[in-house]
């Protein structure tokens, strides 16, 4: 997998050097800037931006908006000690995530991964699910390794599977999955998602009655572990 | 202040004059009638008629003066009452009334006093808003200024963790990490509580599907409870049917605070039960921890719980706690 590039803008040297070190140890290439000056020129070559709000000169809100204009596809994470709802709302108008200090390095790395996955920069080309299913994301195919045959999924089944793969290890509620895949509000009593998940299990699981790939969390939702 | 004649005094003067004039008038009339005993009856009748006309005129004048007096008096009092009742835009205080400087009688002085009181209230309100704004800025800045060094401390602790350390050293680092997390949460809670109690935390109630909201919060907390070894039971109906008029953000904050309390203080019980009963319109969250009064390694001032209770009250909901040595159940119902 290619090295993911992070553009990190932080004026506090203690925090900046620590975060740079943490991310580099996790395999990211980090470009650390002390101010937002020149960030617009830097951003096109990067996969994700981590941006502090309280910066000398132009503040993080202004810098972030300019970066989004310069490179709309690059996700931006705001990293700030400002916790007021107004700040979060203002930031999330252009940013993709908002993390408050004092953050934990593992949480920061996990959130960076989520942003990269959402933007497609962190998805590996091939994923193994359970003991026998191989998902080729480049070809958009699902292979049963036991038989070597392709598992044919319908459009909705593939979209549901992809949504799970973009949010691995997270519990996804039925409403959340339905609204993300169908693109419309979930209505009480709609069984369409459950029917699709049942068919998906029949195609993917060794024993659909005791699923190992798509886990059911009773009363809450579903999860795919990776 | 220049004082002009009081309407009451004028009214009393008119009354006095009428009360004094009427008997005199009647006396003169009677004297005018008595010597005329030898005159013709027609002359007597004329006198009597004149007397009645004059008395009638005086009574009519008296009634008219009284009516005008009370009408004008009532009009001014109603105007003052309306001014007191109607609040001006935004401030919540009544608007001042216009006072005629040439009519500083009792009511005029009452109007002037009313205006003075409004000005004092406005000044007081402005001072209060300035102090509130200053307090908010101070706490927001304090929150920011405390969080930044906490992050730096966490950075140094993270670096130290990568060095060879004794088991005691590792234990201290873990304790330090936990304390940083709690200090950050406390700062956040303090800021939220300040905003809440000063009415500055945006509150936007809307019809909210409770089951969906609880399911979403439970899904977010599930991995945290799972990694802490909790057994998690969720009794959430597939179809909701329970809609409460609440602010979903506030309700989510309440749930987060309650889940966080269980995650922190009820770890020993290793159990959490989350149930929504649609028929009883009730949300119940249960744990097997040491109870609200029980020991906990990191018991704070309980500000998180205070925030949850405050928000519930504002949303016209109530939390009923049943707590003992074997656990706590909190039931959230409508008031």
């Amino acid at each position: 997998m290619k090295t993911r590039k992070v553009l990190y803008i932080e004026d506090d040297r203690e925090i900046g050097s620590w975060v740079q070190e943490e991310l580099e140890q996790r395999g990211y290439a980090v470009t650390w800037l002390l101010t937002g000056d020149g960030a617009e020129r830097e951003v096109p070559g990067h996969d994700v931006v981590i941006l502090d709000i309280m910066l000398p000169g132009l503040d993080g809100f202004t810098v972030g908006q300019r970066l989004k204009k310069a490179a709309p596809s690059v996700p931006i994470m705001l990293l700030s000690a400002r916790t007021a709802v107004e700040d979060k709302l203002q930031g999330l108008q252009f940013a993709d995530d908002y993390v408050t200090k004092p953050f934990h390095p593992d949480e920061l790395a996990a959130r960076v991964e989520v942003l990269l996955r959402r933007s497609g920069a962190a998805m590996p080309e091939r994923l193994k699910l359970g003991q026998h299913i191989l998902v080729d994301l480049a070809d958009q195919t699902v292979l049963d390794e036991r038989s070597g045959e392709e598992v044919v999924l319908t459009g909705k089944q593939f979209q549901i599977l992809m949504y799970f793969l973009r949010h691995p290890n997270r519990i996804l509620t039925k409403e959340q999955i339905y609204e993300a895949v169908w693109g419309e509000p979930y209505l009480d009593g709609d069984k369409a998602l459950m029917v699709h998940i049942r068919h998906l299990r029949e195609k993917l699981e060794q024993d659909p009655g005791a699923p190992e790939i798509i886990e059911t969390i009773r009363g809450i939702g579903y999860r795919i572990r990776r | 202040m220049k004082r002009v004649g009081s309407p009451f005094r004028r009214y009393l003067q008119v009354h006095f004059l009428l009360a004094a004039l009427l008997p005199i008038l009647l006396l003169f009339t009677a004297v005018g009638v008595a010597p005329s005993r030898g005159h013709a009856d027609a002359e007597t009748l004329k006198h009597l008629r004149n007397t009645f006309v004059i008395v009638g005129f005086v009574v009519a004048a008296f009634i008219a003066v009284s009516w005008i007096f009370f009408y004008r008096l009532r009009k001014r009092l109603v105007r003052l009452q309306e001014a007191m009742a109607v609040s001006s835009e935004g401030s919540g205080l009544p608007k001042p009334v216009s006072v005629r400087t040439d009519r500083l009688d009792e009511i005029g002085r009452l109007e002037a006093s009313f205006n003075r009181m409004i000005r004092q209230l406005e000044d007081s309100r402005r001072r209060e808003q300035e102090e509130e704004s200053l307090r908010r800025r101070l706490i927001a800045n304090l929150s920011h200024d405390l969080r930044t060094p906490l992050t730096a401390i966490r950075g140094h602790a993270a670096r130290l963790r990568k060095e060879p350390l004794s088991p005691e050293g590792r234990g201290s680092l873990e304790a330090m990490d936990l304390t940083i997390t709690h200090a950050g949460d406390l700062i956040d809670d303090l800021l939220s509580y300040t905003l809440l109690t000063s009415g500055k935390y945006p509150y936007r109630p809307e019809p909210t599907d409770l089951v969906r909201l609880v399911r979403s919060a439970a899904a977010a907390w599930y991995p945290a409870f799972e990694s802490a070894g909790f057994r998690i039971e969720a009794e959430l109906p597939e179809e909701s049917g329970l809609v409460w008029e609440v602010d979903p953000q506030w309700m989510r904050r309440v749930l987060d605070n309650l889940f966080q309390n269980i995650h922190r203080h009820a770890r020993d019980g290793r159990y959490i039960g989350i149930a929504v009963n649609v028929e009883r319109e009730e949300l119940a969250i249960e744990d097997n921890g040491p109870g609200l009064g029980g020991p906990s390694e990191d018991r704070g001032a309980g500000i998180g719980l205070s925030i949850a209770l405050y928000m519930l009250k504002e949303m016209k909901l109530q939390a009923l706690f049943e707590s003992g040595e074997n656990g706590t159940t909190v039931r959230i119902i409508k008031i």
Side-chain angles (χ1 to χ4, degrees):
Chain A
M1 195 191 290
K2 67 169 184 133
T3 306
R4 281 81 52 88
K5 291 179 182 169
V6 179
L7 177 62
Y8 178 39
I9 307 166
E10 166 71 74
D11 65 319
D12 189 301
R13 288 175 190 276
E14 271 186 305
I15 298 171
S17 68
W18 166 55
V19 170
Q20 185 181 30
E21 197 179 297
E22 284 287 343
L23 292 174
E24 283 177 348
Q25 281 170 4
R26 285 170 161 84
Y28 298 96
V30 182
T31 309
W32 172 27
L33 303 178
L34 286 166
T35 67
D37 296 339
E40 286 161 87
R41 285 192 305 278
E42 291 279 348
V43 71
H46 291 82
D47 296 311
V48 65
V49 176
I50 303 177
L51 177 64
D52 185 26
I53 292 178
M54 301 287 267
L55 291 170
L58 291 177
D59 68 10
F61 294 127
T62 314
V63 173
Q65 280 162 344
R66 290 183 178 184
L67 292 179
K68 205 68 190 173
K69 205 173 275 181
S73 61
V74 178
I76 297 175
M77 176 196 287
L78 287 173
L79 193 61
S80 174
R82 288 167 69 156
T83 58
V85 179
E86 293 86 353
D87 291 329
K88 289 180 183 173
L89 292 177
Q90 190 183 350
L92 289 171
Q93 281 176 2
F94 63 88
D96 301 272
D97 200 2
Y98 193 110
V99 177
T100 54
K101 296 174 180 175
F103 51 87
H104 197 283
D106 293 342
E107 186 195 350
L108 180 72
R111 285 178 180 266
V112 168
E113 276 298 311
V114 169
L115 289 184
L116 290 171
R117 265 204 307 275
R118 270 195 221 151
S119 68
M123 289 281 266
E125 288 187 353
R126 288 182 163 205
L127 280 172
K128 184 88 182 274
L129 298 177
Q131 302 294 317
H132 60 288
I133 295 292
L134 189 70
V135 183
D136 190 321
L137 295 166
D139 293 346
Q140 301 211 326
T141 53
V142 181
L143 193 74
D144 187 335
E145 286 187 319
R146 293 170 305 183
S147 60
E149 288 180 2
E150 187 183 341
V151 180
V152 181
L153 301 179
T154 64
K156 277 283 181 282
Q157 288 165 3
F158 190 77
Q159 284 177 44
I160 293 169
L161 180 64
M162 288 307 294
Y163 188 67
F164 274 120
L165 296 180
R166 279 198 299 273
H167 302 89
N169 307 318
R170 273 178 61 189
I171 318 289
L172 303 172
T173 64
K174 58 180 181 179
E175 294 92 348
Q176 200 177 350
I177 303 169
Y178 185 91
E179 287 173 2
V181 173
W182 272 262
E184 54 192 60
Y186 174 82
L187 296 174
D188 248 1
D190 195 328
K191 304 286 182 204
L193 177 68
M194 288 164 85
V195 171
H196 277 91
I197 286 184
R198 197 177 73 227
H199 291 321
L200 196 54
R201 277 176 169 155
E202 284 166 3
K203 291 178 180 178
L204 300 179
E205 302 280 359
Q206 278 181 325
D207 177 5
E212 288 177 347
I213 297 173
I214 304 174
E215 194 184 345
T216 296
I217 310 296
R218 204 176 73 83
I220 302 179
Y222 304 93
R223 168 169 65 182
I224 282 188
R225 286 185 199 257
R226 254 173 59 193
Chain B
M1 188 186 288
K2 184 193 166 194
R3 291 192 179 198
V4 296
S6 150
F8 296 104
R9 198 171 297 153
R10 281 205 301 271
Y11 180 72
L12 289 174
Q13 281 170 356
V14 170
H15 266 84
F16 174 78
L17 283 173
L18 285 171
L21 279 175
L22 266 177
I24 294 168
L25 202 65
L26 285 171
L27 187 68
F28 275 110
T29 310
V31 169
V33 170
S36 61
R37 203 170 288 164
H39 293 215
D41 286 347
E43 193 70 13
T44 308
L45 280 172
K46 190 182 171 189
H47 273 292
L48 274 172
R49 195 181 62 226
N50 287 344
T51 305
F52 281 120
V53 167
I54 290 165
V55 170
F57 174 76
V58 170
V59 169
F62 176 74
I63 290 168
V65 166
S66 292
W67 188 85
I68 290 165
F69 171 80
F70 280 111
Y71 175 77
R72 291 175 66 185
L73 191 69
R74 186 184 171 278
K75 202 174 152 190
R76 291 175 70 190
L77 286 172
V78 165
R79 190 172 71 100
L80 191 58
Q81 183 262 327
E82 281 172 353
M84 284 176 172
V86 178
S87 65
S88 61
E89 294 279 322
S91 72
L93 293 174
K95 284 179 185 167
V97 291
S98 59
V99 181
R100 279 171 54 180
T101 47
D102 59 334
R103 285 178 69 181
L104 279 177
D105 47 32
E106 281 91 341
I107 295 176
R109 287 199 299 279
L110 182 64
E111 287 169 342
S113 297
F114 172 72
N115 286 351
R116 208 163 39 247
M117 187 188 74
I118 295 298
R119 276 195 300 276
Q120 283 171 353
L121 281 173
E122 281 171 350
D123 285 348
S124 165
R125 181 71 58 89
R126 195 168 48 250
R127 273 201 305 278
E128 193 187 320
Q129 280 171 347
E130 283 168 3
E131 282 167 15
E132 188 53 47
S133 162
L134 185 71
R135 191 161 68 116
R136 276 186 69 197
R137 268 205 314 278
L138 193 71
I139 290 184
N141 290 343
L142 193 69
S143 163
H144 176 268
D145 293 349
L146 286 171
R147 282 171 177 278
T148 303
L150 276 179
T151 313
I153 295 170
R154 172 162 274 161
H156 289 300
R159 275 189 182 132
L160 267 180
R161 202 178 295 116
K162 289 168 191 158
E163 300 293 324
L165 286 172
S166 65
E168 288 79 13
R170 278 197 179 277
S172 293
L173 274 184
E174 276 170 24
M176 193 191 289
D177 203 45
L178 205 64
T179 309
I180 291 168
T181 303
H182 291 170
D185 290 346
L186 270 177
I187 295 166
D188 193 28
D189 283 347
L190 183 65
L191 180 65
S192 300
Y193 194 74
T194 309
L195 293 177
L196 262 177
T197 50
S198 58
K200 298 291 188 295
Y201 206 91
Y203 177 55
R204 300 181 186 97
E206 59 182 73
T208 304
D209 181 339
L210 184 72
V211 176
R212 182 182 174 148
L213 190 89
V214 174
R215 201 188 329 269
S216 168
W221 277 88
Y222 195 95
F225 284 119
E226 193 179 40
S227 63
F230 275 73
R231 181 165 60 87
I232 306 146
E233 283 183 4
E235 294 291 335
L236 302 173
E238 281 298 319
E239 292 175 26
S240 174
L242 185 54
V243 175
W244 281 358
E245 183 76 15
V246 294
D247 182 328
Q249 302 291 333
W250 281 39
M251 199 62 201
R252 182 59 196 263
R253 178 72 193 255
V254 168
L255 291 172
D256 284 345
N257 283 16
L258 294 174
F259 289 154
Q260 191 175 58
N261 269 355
I262 293 174
H263 190 259
R264 274 190 195 164
H265 307 301
R267 277 177 178 240
D268 295 345
R270 300 202 182 287
Y271 168 76
I272 176 167
I274 306 159
V276 171
N277 189 318
V278 177
E279 284 174 10
R280 288 212 301 261
E281 298 199 13
E282 174 189 281
L283 159 67
I285 301 171
E286 190 181 355
D287 68 66
N288 284 352
L292 289 177
S296 175
E297 283 176 8
D298 52 5
R299 190 165 291 287
I303 196 164
L305 191 58
S306 303
I307 289 171
L309 296 178
Y310 188 93
M311 284 180 151
L312 286 172
K313 194 178 159 196
E314 292 294 303
M315 291 189 286
K316 301 191 172 43
L317 299 173
Q318 189 181 12
L320 305 172
F321 287 89
E322 286 170 35
S323 188
E325 286 177 1
N326 298 321
T328 302
T329 302
V330 54
R331 292 177 205 286
I332 296 175
I333 54 168
K334 281 185 177 175
I335 293 175

